[in-house]
Every structure is written in structure tokens, then in C-alpha cells.
């Protein structure tokens, strides 16, 4: 799971059009998976996977099993679709959920 999250963070850094969404985002995303809890920090235009939440910004939570979270990070499953199907639970306002869904879609790895 950690590798997927790191790859997701790298994809965001490598795609300039996604940088515009991240540049003003102050958010700590808590990801609760079967394999552990991970934190994805969005601050000052930078994205990093952390072991704990280190800033005072808003914290959103996504919980689910590893296989479905992998599909989310790969762009194969949309966040809202997963919430509707009860694959994930989220603890964030709808607007933050839309921003996260956009990031997951735009930062998906391109097929080789």
C-alpha cells in the first residue's frame, strides 16, 4: 500500500496540470487500510506520504480494504462510486471529497 501511495504522490508532482489543484490545498489525508494507517500531506504545493499528520490543516479520512484502495490509487475506481457502493467510508465534506476524487483520477498512472 505504501508503494501505491508514494507512486500517487510522485505522479502528482510530475503532472503540472494537477499541480494547480494541489498548489492551494492544505489537507492531510488519513488512509486507513488493512495493512496500516498512512497519511498523505498536501501543503504548499507539495505532496508527501507520512507516518503521522504533521500540519494543522484539515484532516480527511478514507477507510477501506487494500485491494479496493489500490484500485482507487490506480484510477480504476472513483471515490464517490466506492462510497456509494460501501467500499470506502469517508470523513470529509462533499467538496473535499470531490477534490480528492479529481486528484485520484488526474494523477492515475498512464497505461504502458
Amino acid at each position: 500500500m505504501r508503494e501505491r501511495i508514494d507512486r500517487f504522490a510522485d505522479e502528482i508532482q510530475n503532472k503540472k496540470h494537477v499541480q494547480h489543484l494541489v498548489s492551494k490545498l492544505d489537507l492531510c489525508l488519513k488512509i486507513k487500510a488493512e495493512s496500516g494507517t498512512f497519511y498523505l500531506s498536501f501543503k504548499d504545493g507539495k505532496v508527501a506520504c507520512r507516518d503521522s499528520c504533521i500540519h494543522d490543516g484539515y484532516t480527511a479520512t478514507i477507510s477501506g480494504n487494500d485491494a479496493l484502495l489500490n484500485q482507487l490509487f490506480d484510477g480504476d475506481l472513483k471515490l464517490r462510486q466506492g462510497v456509494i457502493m460501501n467500499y470506502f467510508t469517508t470523513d470529509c465534506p462533499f467538496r473535499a471529497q470531490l477534490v480528492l476524487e479529481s486528484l485520484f483520477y488526474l494523477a492515475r498512472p498512464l497505461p504502458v
Side-chain angles (χ1 to χ4, degrees):
M1 177 59 64
R2 176 70 184 232
E3 295 84 24
R4 298 273 172 130
I5 296 170
D6 287 336
R7 187 181 71 204
F8 173 74
D10 290 340
E11 287 291 328
I12 289 176
Q13 297 295 332
N14 294 333
K15 295 182 176 179
K16 293 188 190 245
H17 63 284
V18 181
Q19 282 288 327
H20 294 292
L21 280 174
V22 176
S23 65
K24 295 180 180 153
L25 191 61
D26 187 13
L27 174 77
C28 184
L29 177 61
K30 181 178 182 179
I31 302 157
K32 289 183 175 180
E34 295 167 334
S35 59
T37 301
F38 306 93
Y39 294 88
L40 196 55
S41 173
F42 299 89
K43 187 157 179 92
D44 299 327
K46 299 195 188 308
V47 182
C49 186
R50 309 239 183 243
D51 294 326
S52 64
C53 189
I54 61 166
H55 64 82
D56 299 334
Y58 178 76
T59 302
T61 304
I62 297 176
S63 303
N65 70 37
D66 286 348
L68 293 170
L69 285 168
N70 285 338
Q71 288 182 14
L72 178 68
F73 281 102
D74 288 342
D76 297 331
L77 181 63
K78 293 182 180 179
L79 179 60
R80 286 187 300 144
Q81 179 185 12
V83 170
I84 290 169
M85 304 278 291
N86 289 322
Y87 295 156
F88 309 119
T89 57
T90 59
D91 177 20
C92 61
F94 186 68
R95 186 174 182 175
Q97 189 174 336
L98 289 175
V99 170
L100 290 171
E101 182 171 335
S102 298
L103 287 174
F104 287 125
Y105 181 76
L106 293 171
R108 71 190 185 284
L110 296 174
V112 179

